[in-house]
Coordinates of all heavy atoms in Angstrom, one line a residue:
M1 N -2.6 -32.8 24.5 CA -2.5 -32.3 25.8 C -3.6 -32.9 26.7 O -4.8 -32.8 26.4 CB -2.8 -30.8 25.8 CG -2.5 -30.0 27.1 SD -0.7 -29.9 27.4 CE -0.7 -28.4 28.3
T2 N -3.2 -33.6 27.7 CA -4.2 -34.3 28.6 C -4.5 -33.4 29.8 O -3.9 -32.4 30.1 CB -3.6 -35.6 29.2 OG1 -2.4 -35.4 29.9 CG2 -3.4 -36.6 28.1
K3 N -5.7 -33.8 30.3 CA -6.2 -33.0 31.5 C -6.4 -34.0 32.6 O -6.7 -35.2 32.3 CB -7.6 -32.5 31.1 CG -7.8 -31.0 31.4 CD -9.1 -30.5 30.8 CE -9.7 -29.6 31.8 NZ -10.9 -29.0 31.2
T4 N -6.2 -33.6 33.8 CA -6.4 -34.5 35.0 C -7.6 -33.9 35.8 O -7.6 -32.7 36.1 CB -5.2 -34.6 35.8 OG1 -4.1 -35.1 35.0 CG2 -5.4 -35.6 37.0
I5 N -8.5 -34.8 36.1 CA -9.6 -34.3 36.9 C -9.9 -35.3 38.0 O -9.7 -36.5 37.8 CB -10.9 -34.0 36.1 CG1 -12.0 -33.3 36.9 CG2 -11.5 -35.3 35.5 CD1 -13.1 -32.8 36.1
T6 N -10.4 -34.8 39.2 CA -10.8 -35.8 40.2 C -12.3 -35.7 40.3 O -12.9 -34.6 40.6 CB -10.1 -35.4 41.5 OG1 -8.7 -35.5 41.4 CG2 -10.5 -36.4 42.6
L7 N -13.0 -36.8 40.1 CA -14.4 -36.9 40.2 C -14.8 -37.4 41.6 O -14.0 -38.2 42.2 CB -15.0 -37.8 39.2 CG -14.6 -37.6 37.7 CD1 -15.2 -38.7 36.9 CD2 -15.1 -36.3 37.2
R8 N -15.9 -37.0 42.1 CA -16.4 -37.5 43.3 C -17.4 -38.6 42.9 O -18.2 -38.4 42.0 CB -17.2 -36.5 44.1 CG -17.8 -36.9 45.4 CD -18.1 -35.7 46.3 NE -19.0 -34.8 45.7 CZ -20.3 -34.8 45.9 NH1 -20.9 -35.8 46.7 NH2 -21.1 -33.9 45.4
V9 N -17.2 -39.8 43.5 CA -18.1 -41.0 43.1 C -18.8 -41.5 44.3 O -18.1 -41.9 45.3 CB -17.2 -42.1 42.5 CG1 -18.1 -43.3 42.1 CG2 -16.4 -41.6 41.2
E10 N -20.1 -41.5 44.3 CA -20.9 -42.0 45.4 C -21.5 -43.3 45.0 O -21.8 -43.6 43.9 CB -22.1 -41.0 45.7 CG -21.6 -39.6 46.1 CD -21.1 -39.5 47.5 OE1 -21.2 -40.5 48.2 OE2 -20.5 -38.5 47.8
G11 N -21.6 -44.2 46.0 CA -22.3 -45.5 45.9 C -21.4 -46.7 45.8 O -21.9 -47.8 45.7
M12 N -20.1 -46.5 45.9 CA -19.1 -47.6 45.9 C -19.0 -48.2 47.3 O -18.9 -47.5 48.2 CB -17.7 -47.2 45.4 CG -17.7 -46.7 44.0 SD -16.0 -46.5 43.4 CE -15.4 -45.2 44.4
S13 N -19.1 -49.6 47.3 CA -19.0 -50.2 48.7 C -18.0 -51.2 48.8 O -17.7 -51.7 49.9 CB -20.4 -50.8 49.0 OG -20.8 -51.7 48.0
C14 N -17.3 -51.6 47.7 CA -16.3 -52.6 47.8 C -15.3 -52.6 46.6 O -15.5 -51.7 45.7 CB -16.9 -54.0 47.9 SG -17.7 -54.6 46.4
E15 N -14.3 -53.4 46.6 CA -13.3 -53.4 45.6 C -13.9 -53.7 44.2 O -13.4 -53.3 43.2 CB -12.2 -54.3 45.9 CG -11.2 -53.7 47.0 CD -10.7 -52.3 46.7 OE1 -10.4 -52.1 45.5 OE2 -10.6 -51.5 47.6
A16 N -15.0 -54.5 44.2 CA -15.7 -54.8 42.9 C -16.2 -53.5 42.3 O -16.2 -53.4 41.1 CB -16.7 -55.9 43.1
C17 N -16.8 -52.7 43.2 CA -17.3 -51.4 42.7 C -16.2 -50.6 42.1 O -16.3 -50.0 41.0 CB -17.9 -50.6 43.8 SG -19.3 -51.4 44.6
V18 N -15.0 -50.6 42.7 CA -13.9 -49.8 42.3 C -13.5 -50.3 40.9 O -13.2 -49.6 40.0 CB -12.7 -50.0 43.2 CG1 -11.4 -49.5 42.6 CG2 -13.0 -49.3 44.6
K19 N -13.5 -51.7 40.7 CA -13.2 -52.3 39.4 C -14.2 -51.9 38.3 O -13.8 -51.5 37.2 CB -13.2 -53.8 39.6 CG -12.6 -54.5 38.5 CD -12.2 -56.0 38.9 CE -11.7 -56.8 37.7 NZ -12.7 -57.6 37.1
H20 N -15.5 -51.9 38.7 CA -16.5 -51.5 37.7 C -16.3 -50.1 37.3 O -16.4 -49.8 36.1 CB -17.9 -51.6 38.3 CG -18.3 -53.0 38.6 ND1 -19.2 -53.3 39.7 CD2 -18.0 -54.2 38.0 CE1 -19.3 -54.7 39.7 NE2 -18.6 -55.2 38.7
V21 N -16.1 -49.2 38.2 CA -15.9 -47.8 37.9 C -14.7 -47.6 37.0 O -14.7 -46.9 36.0 CB -15.9 -46.9 39.1 CG1 -15.5 -45.4 38.8 CG2 -17.2 -46.9 39.9
T22 N -13.6 -48.2 37.4 CA -12.3 -48.1 36.7 C -12.5 -48.6 35.2 O -12.1 -47.9 34.3 CB -11.2 -49.0 37.4 OG1 -11.1 -48.5 38.7 CG2 -9.9 -48.8 36.6
E23 N -13.1 -49.7 35.1 CA -13.3 -50.3 33.8 C -14.2 -49.4 32.9 O -14.0 -49.3 31.7 CB -13.9 -51.7 33.9 CG -12.8 -52.7 34.3 CD -13.3 -54.1 34.6 OE1 -14.5 -54.3 34.5 OE2 -12.5 -55.0 34.9
A24 N -15.3 -48.9 33.5 CA -16.2 -48.0 32.8 C -15.4 -46.8 32.2 O -15.7 -46.4 31.1 CB -17.3 -47.6 33.6
L25 N -14.5 -46.3 33.0 CA -13.8 -45.1 32.6 C -12.7 -45.4 31.5 O -12.6 -44.8 30.5 CB -13.1 -44.4 33.8 CG -14.1 -43.7 34.7 CD1 -13.4 -43.4 36.1 CD2 -14.7 -42.4 34.1
M26 N -12.0 -46.5 31.8 CA -11.0 -46.9 30.9 C -11.5 -47.4 29.5 O -10.8 -47.3 28.5 CB -10.1 -48.1 31.5 CG -9.3 -47.7 32.7 SD -8.2 -46.4 32.4 CE -7.0 -47.2 31.3
R27 N -12.7 -47.8 29.4 CA -13.4 -48.2 28.2 C -13.5 -47.0 27.2 O -13.7 -47.2 26.0 CB -14.8 -48.7 28.5 CG -15.3 -49.8 27.7 CD -16.6 -50.3 28.1 NE -16.5 -51.2 29.3 CZ -17.4 -51.1 30.4 NH1 -18.4 -50.3 30.4 NH2 -17.2 -51.9 31.4
L28 N -13.6 -45.8 27.7 CA -13.8 -44.6 26.9 C -12.6 -44.3 26.1 O -11.5 -44.2 26.6 CB -14.2 -43.4 27.8 CG -15.5 -43.5 28.5 CD1 -15.6 -42.3 29.5 CD2 -16.7 -43.5 27.5
E29 N -12.8 -44.0 24.8 CA -11.7 -43.6 23.9 C -11.3 -42.2 24.5 O -12.1 -41.3 24.7 CB -12.3 -43.4 22.5 CG -11.4 -43.3 21.4 CD -10.8 -44.7 21.1 OE1 -11.6 -45.7 21.2 OE2 -9.7 -44.8 20.6
G30 N -10.0 -42.1 24.7 CA -9.5 -40.8 25.2 C -9.1 -40.7 26.6 O -8.5 -39.8 27.1
V31 N -9.5 -41.8 27.4 CA -9.1 -41.9 28.8 C -7.8 -42.6 28.9 O -7.6 -43.7 28.4 CB -10.2 -42.6 29.6 CG1 -9.7 -42.9 31.0 CG2 -11.4 -41.7 29.7
E32 N -6.8 -41.9 29.5 CA -5.5 -42.6 29.6 C -5.3 -43.4 30.9 O -4.6 -44.4 30.9 CB -4.4 -41.5 29.5 CG -4.3 -40.9 28.1 CD -3.0 -40.2 27.9 OE1 -2.2 -40.1 28.8 OE2 -2.8 -39.7 26.8
S33 N -5.9 -42.8 31.9 CA -5.8 -43.6 33.2 C -6.9 -43.2 34.1 O -7.5 -42.1 34.0 CB -4.4 -43.4 33.9 OG -4.3 -42.1 34.4
A34 N -7.2 -44.1 35.0 CA -8.3 -43.8 36.0 C -7.9 -44.5 37.3 O -7.7 -45.7 37.4 CB -9.6 -44.4 35.5
A35 N -7.7 -43.7 38.3 CA -7.3 -44.2 39.6 C -8.5 -44.0 40.6 O -8.8 -42.8 41.0 CB -6.1 -43.4 40.1
V36 N -9.2 -45.0 40.9 CA -10.4 -45.0 41.7 C -10.1 -45.4 43.1 O -9.4 -46.4 43.4 CB -11.5 -45.9 41.0 CG1 -12.8 -45.8 41.8 CG2 -11.7 -45.5 39.6
S37 N -10.6 -44.6 44.0 CA -10.4 -44.8 45.4 C -11.7 -45.0 46.2 O -12.6 -44.1 46.1 CB -9.6 -43.7 46.1 OG -9.7 -43.7 47.5
L38 N -11.9 -46.2 46.8 CA -13.1 -46.5 47.5 C -13.1 -45.6 48.8 O -14.1 -45.0 49.1 CB -13.1 -47.9 48.0 CG -14.1 -48.5 48.9 CD1 -15.5 -48.3 48.2 CD2 -13.9 -49.9 49.2
R39 N -12.0 -45.5 49.4 CA -11.9 -44.7 50.7 C -12.1 -43.2 50.5 O -12.8 -42.6 51.3 CB -10.4 -44.9 51.2 CG -10.2 -44.3 52.5 CD -8.7 -44.5 52.8 NE -8.4 -43.9 54.1 CZ -7.5 -44.4 54.9 NH1 -6.8 -45.4 54.6 NH2 -7.3 -43.9 56.1
N40 N -11.6 -42.7 49.4 CA -11.8 -41.3 49.1 C -13.0 -41.0 48.3 O -13.3 -39.8 48.0 CB -10.6 -40.7 48.4 CG -9.3 -40.8 49.3 OD1 -9.4 -40.7 50.5 ND2 -8.2 -41.0 48.6
K41 N -13.7 -42.0 47.9 CA -14.9 -41.8 47.0 C -14.6 -41.0 45.8 O -15.2 -39.9 45.6 CB -16.1 -41.2 47.8 CG -16.6 -42.1 48.9 CD -17.8 -41.4 49.6 CE -18.3 -42.1 50.7 NZ -19.5 -41.4 51.4
S42 N -13.5 -41.3 45.2 CA -13.0 -40.5 44.1 C -12.5 -41.3 42.9 O -12.2 -42.5 43.1 CB -11.9 -39.5 44.6 OG -10.8 -40.3 44.9
A43 N -12.4 -40.6 41.8 CA -11.8 -41.2 40.6 C -10.9 -40.1 40.0 O -11.4 -39.0 39.6 CB -12.8 -41.7 39.6
Q44 N -9.6 -40.3 40.0 CA -8.7 -39.4 39.3 C -8.5 -39.8 37.9 O -8.0 -40.9 37.7 CB -7.4 -39.2 40.1 CG -6.5 -38.2 39.4 CD -5.2 -38.0 40.2 OE1 -5.2 -37.4 41.3 NE2 -4.1 -38.6 39.7
V45 N -8.9 -39.0 37.0 CA -8.9 -39.4 35.6 C -8.0 -38.5 34.7 O -8.1 -37.3 34.8 CB -10.4 -39.4 35.0 CG1 -10.4 -39.9 33.5 CG2 -11.3 -40.1 35.8
V46 N -7.1 -39.2 34.0 CA -6.3 -38.4 33.0 C -6.9 -38.7 31.6 O -7.1 -39.9 31.2 CB -4.8 -38.9 33.0 CG1 -4.0 -38.1 32.0 CG2 -4.3 -38.7 34.5
Y47 N -7.3 -37.6 30.9 CA -8.0 -37.8 29.7 C -7.6 -36.7 28.7 O -7.1 -35.7 29.1 CB -9.5 -37.8 29.9 CG -10.1 -36.5 30.3 CD1 -10.8 -35.7 29.4 CD2 -10.0 -36.1 31.6 CE1 -11.4 -34.5 29.8 CE2 -10.6 -34.9 32.0 CZ -11.3 -34.1 31.1 OH -11.8 -32.9 31.5
D48 N -7.9 -37.0 27.4 CA -7.6 -36.1 26.3 C -8.9 -35.3 26.0 O -9.9 -35.9 25.5 CB -7.1 -36.8 25.1 CG -6.8 -35.9 24.0 OD1 -7.2 -34.7 24.0 OD2 -6.2 -36.4 23.0
P49 N -9.0 -34.1 26.4 CA -10.3 -33.3 26.2 C -10.7 -33.2 24.7 O -11.8 -32.8 24.4 CB -10.1 -32.0 26.9 CG -8.6 -31.9 27.0 CD -8.0 -33.2 27.0
E50 N -9.8 -33.5 23.8 CA -10.2 -33.4 22.4 C -10.9 -34.7 21.9 O -11.5 -34.8 20.9 CB -8.9 -33.2 21.5 CG -8.4 -31.7 21.7 CD -7.2 -31.4 20.8 OE1 -6.8 -32.3 20.0 OE2 -6.7 -30.3 21.0
R51 N -10.8 -35.7 22.8 CA -11.3 -37.0 22.4 C -12.5 -37.4 23.3 O -13.3 -38.3 22.8 CB -10.3 -38.1 22.4 CG -9.2 -37.9 21.3 CD -8.0 -38.7 21.5 NE -8.3 -40.1 21.2 CZ -7.6 -41.2 21.7 NH1 -6.6 -40.9 22.5 NH2 -7.9 -42.4 21.3
V52 N -12.5 -36.9 24.5 CA -13.6 -37.3 25.4 C -14.0 -36.1 26.3 O -13.1 -35.4 26.7 CB -13.3 -38.6 26.2 CG1 -12.1 -38.4 27.1 CG2 -14.4 -39.1 26.9
Q53 N -15.3 -36.0 26.5 CA -15.7 -34.8 27.3 C -16.0 -35.3 28.7 O -16.3 -36.4 29.0 CB -17.0 -34.2 26.7 CG -16.8 -33.7 25.3 CD -15.7 -32.6 25.3 OE1 -15.8 -31.7 26.0 NE2 -14.7 -32.8 24.4
L54 N -15.9 -34.3 29.6 CA -16.2 -34.5 31.0 C -17.5 -35.2 31.2 O -17.7 -36.1 32.0 CB -16.1 -33.2 31.8 CG -16.6 -33.2 33.2 CD1 -15.8 -34.1 34.1 CD2 -16.6 -31.8 33.8
Q55 N -18.5 -34.7 30.5 CA -19.9 -35.3 30.6 C -19.9 -36.8 30.3 O -20.6 -37.5 31.0 CB -20.8 -34.5 29.7 CG -22.3 -34.8 29.9 CD -22.8 -34.5 31.3 OE1 -22.3 -33.6 31.9 NE2 -23.6 -35.4 31.8
Q56 N -19.1 -37.2 29.4 CA -19.0 -38.6 29.1 C -18.4 -39.4 30.2 O -18.8 -40.6 30.4 CB -18.2 -38.8 27.8 CG -18.9 -38.3 26.5 CD -18.0 -38.4 25.3 OE1 -17.3 -37.4 25.1 NE2 -17.9 -39.5 24.7
L57 N -17.5 -38.8 30.9 CA -16.9 -39.5 32.0 C -17.9 -39.8 33.1 O -18.1 -40.9 33.7 CB -15.7 -38.7 32.6 CG -14.6 -38.3 31.7 CD1 -13.6 -37.4 32.5 CD2 -13.9 -39.5 31.1
L58 N -18.7 -38.7 33.4 CA -19.8 -38.8 34.4 C -20.8 -39.8 34.0 O -21.2 -40.6 34.8 CB -20.4 -37.4 34.6 CG -19.5 -36.3 35.1 CD1 -20.2 -35.0 35.1 CD2 -18.9 -36.6 36.4
E59 N -21.2 -39.8 32.7 CA -22.2 -40.7 32.3 C -21.7 -42.2 32.3 O -22.5 -43.1 32.6 CB -22.6 -40.4 30.8 CG -23.6 -39.2 30.8 CD -23.8 -38.6 29.4 OE1 -23.4 -39.3 28.4 OE2 -24.4 -37.6 29.3
A60 N -20.5 -42.4 32.0 CA -20.0 -43.8 32.0 C -20.0 -44.3 33.4 O -20.4 -45.5 33.6 CB -18.5 -43.8 31.5
V61 N -19.7 -43.5 34.4 CA -19.8 -44.0 35.8 C -21.3 -44.2 36.2 O -21.6 -45.2 36.9 CB -19.2 -43.0 36.8 CG1 -19.4 -43.3 38.2 CG2 -17.7 -42.8 36.5
E62 N -22.1 -43.3 35.8 CA -23.5 -43.4 36.2 C -24.2 -44.6 35.5 O -25.1 -45.3 36.1 CB -24.3 -42.1 35.9 CG -23.8 -41.1 36.9 CD -24.4 -39.7 36.8 OE1 -25.1 -39.5 35.8 OE2 -24.1 -38.9 37.6
E63 N -23.8 -45.0 34.3 CA -24.3 -46.2 33.6 C -24.0 -47.4 34.4 O -24.7 -48.4 34.3 CB -23.8 -46.3 32.2 CG -24.6 -45.4 31.2 CD -23.9 -45.3 29.9 OE1 -23.0 -46.1 29.6 OE2 -24.2 -44.3 29.1
E64 N -23.0 -47.4 35.2 CA -22.6 -48.6 36.0 C -23.4 -48.6 37.3 O -23.3 -49.5 38.1 CB -21.2 -48.6 36.4 CG -20.2 -48.7 35.2 CD -20.4 -50.1 34.6 OE1 -20.5 -51.1 35.3 OE2 -20.4 -50.2 33.3
G65 N -24.2 -47.5 37.6 CA -25.1 -47.5 38.8 C -24.5 -46.7 39.9 O -25.0 -46.8 41.0
Y66 N -23.5 -45.9 39.7 CA -23.0 -45.0 40.7 C -23.2 -43.6 40.4 O -23.6 -43.3 39.2 CB -21.5 -45.3 40.8 CG -21.1 -46.7 41.0 CD1 -20.7 -47.5 39.9 CD2 -21.2 -47.3 42.3 CE1 -20.5 -48.9 40.1 CE2 -21.0 -48.7 42.4 CZ -20.6 -49.4 41.3 OH -20.3 -50.8 41.5
E67 N -23.0 -42.7 41.3 CA -23.2 -41.3 41.0 C -21.9 -40.6 40.9 O -21.0 -40.9 41.7 CB -24.0 -40.6 42.2 CG -25.5 -41.0 42.2 CD -26.3 -40.1 43.1 OE1 -26.1 -40.4 44.3 OE2 -26.9 -39.2 42.7
A68 N -21.7 -39.8 39.9 CA -20.4 -39.1 39.7 C -20.7 -37.6 39.6 O -21.6 -37.1 39.1 CB -19.8 -39.6 38.4
F69 N -19.7 -36.9 40.3 CA -19.8 -35.4 40.3 C -18.5 -34.8 39.9 O -17.4 -35.4 40.3 CB -20.3 -34.9 41.7 CG -21.5 -35.5 42.1 CD1 -21.5 -36.7 42.9 CD2 -22.8 -35.0 41.8 CE1 -22.7 -37.3 43.3 CE2 -24.0 -35.6 42.3 CZ -23.9 -36.7 43.0
A70 N -18.5 -33.7 39.3 CA -17.2 -33.1 38.8 C -16.6 -32.2 39.9 O -15.6 -31.6 39.7 CB -17.5 -32.3 37.5
D71 N -17.3 -32.1 41.1 CA -16.8 -31.2 42.1 C -15.7 -31.8 43.0 O -15.3 -31.2 44.0 CB -17.9 -30.6 42.9 CG -18.6 -31.7 43.7 OD1 -18.1 -32.9 43.7 OD2 -19.7 -31.5 44.2
G72 N -15.1 -32.9 42.5 CA -14.0 -33.5 43.2 C -14.4 -34.1 44.5 O -13.6 -34.5 45.3
Ligands
LIG101 CU1 -18.9 -53.3 45.4

């Protein structure tokens, strides 16, 4: 059973940032898809909560140098 969440992502300024965030999320085991929007400052992530936790999603984005929040 997958879950869909929209994260708020701060600090992206161009399409390369979008790519970095997308790749950081997709690298995680259990993430099925990540739709990152520069314009909306968001990342819609479909993931399997049995394989990856929300906290790991946030950390993956932050390790790339951006800020991520679970409040959409
Ligand atoms: Cu950029």
Side-chain angles (χ1 to χ4, degrees):
M1 190 72 150
T2 57
K3 229 171 142 174
T4 302
I5 190 170
T6 302
L7 307 177
R8 181 160 60 91
V9 180
E10 298 287 348
M12 296 191 292
S13 57
C14 69
E15 287 304 321
C17 298
V18 170
K19 192 163 175 263
H20 292 149
V21 172
T22 303
E23 286 174 354
L25 290 166
M26 293 302 294
R27 211 179 285 140
L28 295 171
E29 198 79 31
V31 170
E32 289 197 358
S33 70
V36 181
S37 166
L38 175 61
R39 184 184 184 148
N40 298 328
K41 297 182 180 178
S42 68
Q44 184 177 282
V45 185
V46 179
Y47 68 102
D48 180 348
E50 290 182 2
R51 293 167 73 201
V52 64
Q53 298 302 306
L54 170 60
Q55 190 57 37
Q56 289 171 269
L57 304 179
L58 299 175
E59 281 169 10
V61 174
E62 286 176 358
E63 276 168 18
E64 294 295 316
Y66 307 98
E67 286 189 285
F69 305 91
D71 60 11

